[in-house]
Amino acid sequence: MAKNRYDRVMLKLSGEMLVGEQSMGIQPAVIARFAQEIQEVHNTGVQIALVIGGGNIFRGLAGASRGMDRAHADYMGMLATVINGLALQDALEAIGVHTRVMSAISVNEICEPYIRRRAIRHLEKGRVVIFAGGTGNPYFTTDTAAALRAAEIQADVILKATKVDGVYDRDPALHDDAKRFDTVTYMEVLQRGLKVMDATAISLCMDNGIPIVIFNLNEPGNMRRAFQGEEIGTRVYAAQN
Ligand code: GTP
């Protein structure tokens, strides 16, 4: 395999993608495929930190839109990310990838607490570190958790694996002539309200100079391409050149 472009990567996985053909929950075949793709890139020696969403189990905003207290619903969403983190840990360890799950909320009986310096040591020792529990605060998304942890551990990039193949100027499902960006600046994302990540996450990345690559994980080989720095999907960064 060609050399990786990055030394330390923050990989953001959507919880929703774990659903597969089901209506909710975790489809074993899907999480096993994710684990294999992570193993393939991990074998190249790159350090991998991971944040996984919880949308396949419970999404705080959706709960709030149905009348739940927002903070309460967000705490439920955080617990969902712990479940997904443990599921991913199980799938990775089943194929021999050493992992540590670190949670932003205290659930010490089932995973480690988040301690920044310890997370970095785990990465240096070649363990895949799964950050669970979001930022530990309501009103923040798991994209913001990925941006925050990426800044803290000084990741070279955030690779956001999704089911779409990048960022469009408008909804491609509604507009045939929607244009996909190869690159776009943080400012453009914020000013045009492009659906990449929420504004808090984008601002954190902008302030800390962390590029974001959005790519389609359903396309075979894309995980490897993203880690090698091939131009796939959309790259969000400071200035067009
Ligand atoms: P080194 O210090 O590099 O050896 O890291 P390590 O993670 O192997 O050492 P440690 O002795 O801290 O952890 C051993 C195992 O216990 C690992 O699987 C950790 O994930 C787990 N572990 C450590 N702290 C906690 C905790 O607070 N809660 C839970 N549930 N597990 C923990």
Side-chain angles (χ1 to χ4, degrees):
M1 188 186 272
K3 201 184 167 326
N4 286 312
R5 172 168 175 174
Y6 311 110
D7 297 319
R8 183 175 290 165
V9 169
M10 167 58 70
L11 178 63
K12 169 72 205 312
L13 291 177
S14 123
E16 240 170 330
M17 288 185 77
L18 296 180
V19 166
E21 313 298 309
Q22 305 169 172
S23 58
M24 71 170 293
I26 300 167
Q27 190 165 0
V30 175
I31 201 158
R33 180 173 71 82
F34 282 6
Q36 271 162 11
E37 297 209 28
I38 293 167
Q39 181 186 40
E40 189 191 342
V41 286
H42 187 248
N43 282 344
T44 65
V46 65
Q47 294 180 12
I48 304 177
L50 220 146
V51 167
I52 186 159
N56 55 320
I57 299 170
F58 190 83
R59 188 178 288 283
L61 261 180
S65 72
R66 288 195 301 267
M68 283 182 83
D69 175 73
R70 169 74 195 267
H72 194 84
D74 279 349
Y75 281 118
M76 291 171 67
M78 283 180 225
L79 289 175
T81 71
V82 177
I83 295 174
N84 283 340
L86 292 173
L88 195 56
Q89 175 172 49
D90 179 72
L92 283 164
E93 301 221 322
I95 54 173
V97 181
H98 294 290
T99 65
R100 294 290 183 268
V101 179
M102 303 190 114
S103 174
I105 47 176
S106 290
V107 275
N108 284 356
E109 286 74 13
I110 50 177
C111 57
E112 295 181 34
Y114 171 68
I115 298 167
R116 186 183 77 90
R117 291 170 65 107
R118 197 158 175 208
I120 292 169
R121 281 301 284 148
H122 285 324
L123 290 168
E124 287 168 350
K125 289 182 177 178
R127 296 159 183 159
V128 172
V129 178
I130 301 167
F131 294 119
T135 68
N137 301 286
Y139 297 96
F140 290 94
T141 62
T142 49
D143 280 343
T144 297
L148 173 65
R149 297 294 185 238
E152 289 186 86
I153 63 166
Q154 296 179 310
D156 301 319
V157 68
I158 297 177
L159 301 179
K160 180 173 155 121
T162 67
K163 53 188 178 193
V164 295
D165 59 359
V167 182
Y168 286 80
D169 58 351
R170 56 193 129 157
D171 188 346
L174 302 177
H175 304 274
D176 286 342
D177 58 345
K179 180 179 150 291
R180 182 173 63 79
F181 295 101
D182 291 331
T183 60
V184 64
T185 64
Y186 304 110
M187 264 308 168
E188 265 183 284
V189 169
L190 291 173
Q191 282 166 354
R192 298 173 69 157
L194 299 174
K195 302 269 178 290
V196 181
M197 289 179 167
D198 60 286
T200 312
I202 294 291
S203 305
L204 256 175
C205 290
M206 181 167 72
D207 290 348
N208 294 287
I210 307 166
I212 310 161
V213 177
I214 293 95
F215 70 98
N216 186 349
L217 187 58
N218 286 327
E219 197 71 43
N222 260 1
M223 182 86 91
R224 178 181 49 75
R225 289 189 200 101
F227 272 77
Q228 287 173 352
E230 279 186 32
E231 286 179 12
I232 57 165
T234 300
R235 186 178 186 87
V236 186
Y237 64 153
Q240 305 267 25
N241 56 18

